[in-house]
């Protein structure tokens, strides 16, 4: 079991009482008089996120009171308990009463324990939690460890997380679960007909590659996951400004989250035949970089005119999706940090998703809500498909005009998925700009938990 959880503490666990402004008066009346006076002296009113540590007569911690939003509040944060690991002194704790959602609060507690310590010492919270009754701790651990994997990969700077290092991380994961691993590297991409992946990555001194993991019983339904692995994005010859490049180490966030999702699937032993495809490249600037208005033939066949070299993620995904589509999987999912337009429309916390399968769309939305892993459906709007037209090629990767950028990206990718009935595309951000409970600033696991629960329901 994860070291965060303690099933048989040597001493009684310290109780954490959850209170709202509405319930605090009744809770305070039930406290011993010295504790109640201590709360009054500290002006504690159960404001959401506020933590009060009540002392026992012998100076030890008697209990903790932690503020939550009222049940009726429109701004309830179901991950509010994720702040506790950073607020509590070392010790073993338990929930004395139920927060708004016990399972999500337990998960939040685990997610809030994350610290990135690769380059400097990070003080790990010394807190442990006695799992609440009825909570599937193994599943909580599975999701928390997968989130840590995604966060670690994204937070690692590009000098230590290039295409080769991303492949090494994928191979380590494959070995851990007895999965197959293959990587097509450099000019071999051209030889094996992945021209768009090669074009995007060829200017870098670090060779592009297509990572391929296979796992599961061949008799089970095929589920293929595709993740954008642009390990750093300069924008290419359509160079980003320095401000736009500042967190481009996160541009492999799709790959990181696909690996996190794959880890959960394999660890849970879901009844699927899993394939993971990650085009891993660096979009660099050099004399041999691909140029605006260059034209390349894609793996699927259509020729692609380069309207903008900074719309490179959809190019590498196109070849990977074409490969996935050749097998007609039962479900095809791709994740990528693709468009600023998605952030303008929905912000960093709410990735849009796209599918033409109404049942799949409903299931994704339901699991996104139940897992507090927000997603919002946007349409594959047919009227905008003509915006991708090129006067000299079959398709342009970046239409001029700037409207509906996330939708036109999804429509571009749809051109490369022709034989698979159920396809889900998610335009994630993969980053938390400012810390929130259970979500530290930096790399973030987005969409993976919701999709894992969907897969568990369908193939568990």
């Amino acid at each position: 079991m994860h070291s965060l959880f303690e099933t048989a503490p040597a001493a009684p666990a310290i109780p954490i009482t959850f209170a709202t402004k509405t319930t605090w008066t009744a809770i305070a009346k039930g406290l011993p008089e010295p504790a109640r006076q201590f709360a009054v002296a500290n002006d504690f009113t159960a404001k959401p996120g506020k933590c009060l540590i009540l002392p026992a007569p012998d100076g030890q911690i008697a209990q903790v009171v932690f503020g939550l939003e009222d049940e009726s509040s429109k701004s309830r944060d179901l991950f509010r308990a994720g702040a506790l690991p950073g607020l509590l002194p070392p010790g073993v704790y338990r929930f004395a009463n139920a927060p708004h959602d016990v399972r999500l609060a337990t998960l939040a507690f685990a997610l809030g324990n994350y610290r990135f310590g690769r380059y400097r010492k990070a003080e790990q919270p010394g807190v442990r939690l006695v799992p609440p009754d009825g909570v599937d701790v193994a599943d909580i651990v599975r999701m928390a460890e997968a989130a840590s994997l995604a966060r670690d990969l994204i937070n690692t700077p590009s000098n230590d997380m290039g295409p080769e290092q991303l492949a090494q991380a994928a191979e380590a994961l494959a070995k851990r679960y007895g999965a197959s691993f293959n990587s097509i590297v450099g000019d071999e991409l051209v030889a094996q007909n992945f021209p768009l992946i090669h074009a995007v990555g060829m200017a870098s001194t670090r060779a592009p590659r297509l990572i391929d993991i296979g796992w599961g019983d061949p008799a089970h339904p095929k589920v293929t996951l595709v993740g954008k692995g642009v390990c750093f994005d300069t924008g290419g010859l359509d160079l980003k400004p320095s401000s736009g490049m500042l967190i481009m180490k996160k541009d492999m966030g799709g790959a990181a989250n696909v690996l996190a999702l794959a880890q959960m699937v394999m660890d849970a032993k879901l009844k699927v035949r899993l394939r993971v495809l990650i085009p891993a490249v660096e979009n660099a600037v050099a004399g041999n970089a691909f140029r605006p208005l260059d034209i390349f033939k894609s793996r699927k066949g259509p020729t692609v005119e380069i309207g903008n070299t900074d719309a490179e993620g959809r190019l590498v995904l196109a070849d990977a999706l074409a490969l996935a589509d050749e097998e007609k999987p039962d479900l095809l999912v791709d994740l990528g940090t693709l468009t600023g337009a998605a952030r303008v429309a929905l912000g960093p916390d709410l990735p849009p998703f796209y599918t033409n399968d109404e049942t799949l769309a409903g299931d994704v939305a339901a699991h996104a809500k139940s897992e507090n892993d927000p997603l919002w459906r946007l349409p594959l709007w047919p009227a905008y498909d003509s915006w991708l037209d090129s006067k000299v090629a079959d398709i342009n990767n970046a239409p001029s005009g700037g409207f509906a950028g996330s939708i036109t990206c999804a429509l571009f990718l749809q051109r490369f998925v022709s034989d698979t009935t159920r396809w889900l595309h998610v335009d994630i951000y993969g980053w938390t700009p400012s810390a929130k409970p259970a979500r530290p600033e930096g790399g973030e696991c987005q969409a993976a938990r919701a999709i894992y629960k969907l897969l568990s329901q369908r193939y568990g």
Side-chain angles (χ1 to χ4, degrees), residues 413-428:
L413 295 176
Q414 187 182 37
R415 297 279 189 101
F416 300 88
V417 182
S418 58
D419 296 327
T420 303
T421 304
R422 285 178 284 272
W423 168 56
L424 172 68
H425 161 62
V426 191
D427 189 347
I428 67 170

Side-chain angles (χ1 to χ4, degrees), residues 332-413:
L332 173 55
V333 178
D334 78 81
L335 304 179
T337 53
L338 285 155
T339 69
R343 316 293 70 90
V344 172
L346 299 176
D349 301 341
L350 184 58
F353 75 90
Y354 299 83
T355 182
N356 278 330
D357 185 304
E358 296 301 321
T359 301
L360 178 60
D363 288 348
V364 169
H367 289 294
K369 183 176 181 179
S370 66
E371 296 307 311
N372 201 31
D373 192 7
L375 296 168
W376 193 263
R377 189 185 186 187
L378 289 183
L380 288 157
W381 193 247
Y384 295 163
D385 197 64
S386 62
W387 293 2
L388 297 166
D389 290 349
S390 165
K391 294 178 181 178
V392 291
D394 293 317
I395 189 172
N396 190 295
N397 79 317
S400 60
F403 289 137
S406 183
I407 293 175
T408 54
C409 175
L411 290 169
F412 177 90
L413 295 176

Side-chain angles (χ1 to χ4, degrees), residues 276-324:
V276 178
L277 297 171
I278 295 173
V281 302
E282 180 178 29
N283 188 20
V285 177
N288 65 330
F290 73 123
R291 296 164 285 263
L293 302 190
D294 280 355
I295 298 175
F296 298 92
K297 188 175 182 179
S298 65
R299 176 180 181 83
K300 200 167 190 70
T303 53
V304 181
E305 182 183 24
I306 306 303
N308 192 307
T309 63
D310 196 20
E312 85 300 328
R314 67 197 68 181
L315 295 173
V316 299
L317 286 177
D319 271 356
L321 284 170
L323 173 62

Side-chain angles (χ1 to χ4, degrees), residues 1-2 138-150 152-153 167-181 213-216 259-269 274:
M1 183 177 290
H2 194 278
D139 206 42
I140 296 291
V141 169
R142 183 177 298 124
M143 290 188 285
E145 288 185 343
S148 293
L149 171 66
D152 281 348
L153 291 173
Q168 290 169 350
E171 185 174 15
L173 182 65
K175 286 182 177 177
R176 176 178 171 184
Y177 291 100
S180 65
F181 176 85
I213 293 173
W215 175 89
L259 290 174
L261 175 54
Q263 176 171 312
M264 288 185 277
V265 168
M266 294 187 290
D267 192 75
K269 298 180 175 62
L274 181 69

Side-chain angles (χ1 to χ4, degrees), residues 49-65:
K50 291 296 183 181
C51 183
L52 179 67
I53 298 175
L54 296 172
D58 62 358
Q60 299 296 313
I61 299 175
Q63 68 170 295
V64 173
V65 185

Side-chain angles (χ1 to χ4, degrees), residues 214-270:
W215 175 89
D217 187 336
H220 288 156
K222 182 82 175 231
V223 173
T224 301
L225 311 176
V226 181
K228 174 188 169 185
V230 178
C231 295
F232 192 81
D233 182 20
T234 64
L237 293 179
D238 287 310
L239 194 68
K240 293 179 183 288
S242 59
S243 59
M245 263 190 260
L246 194 58
I247 56 171
M248 278 300 102
K249 68 178 184 179
K250 80 166 186 66
D251 215 21
M252 38 65 70
N257 277 282
V258 157
L259 290 174
L261 175 54
Q263 176 171 312
M264 288 185 277
V265 168
M266 294 187 290
D267 192 75
K269 298 180 175 62
L270 298 187

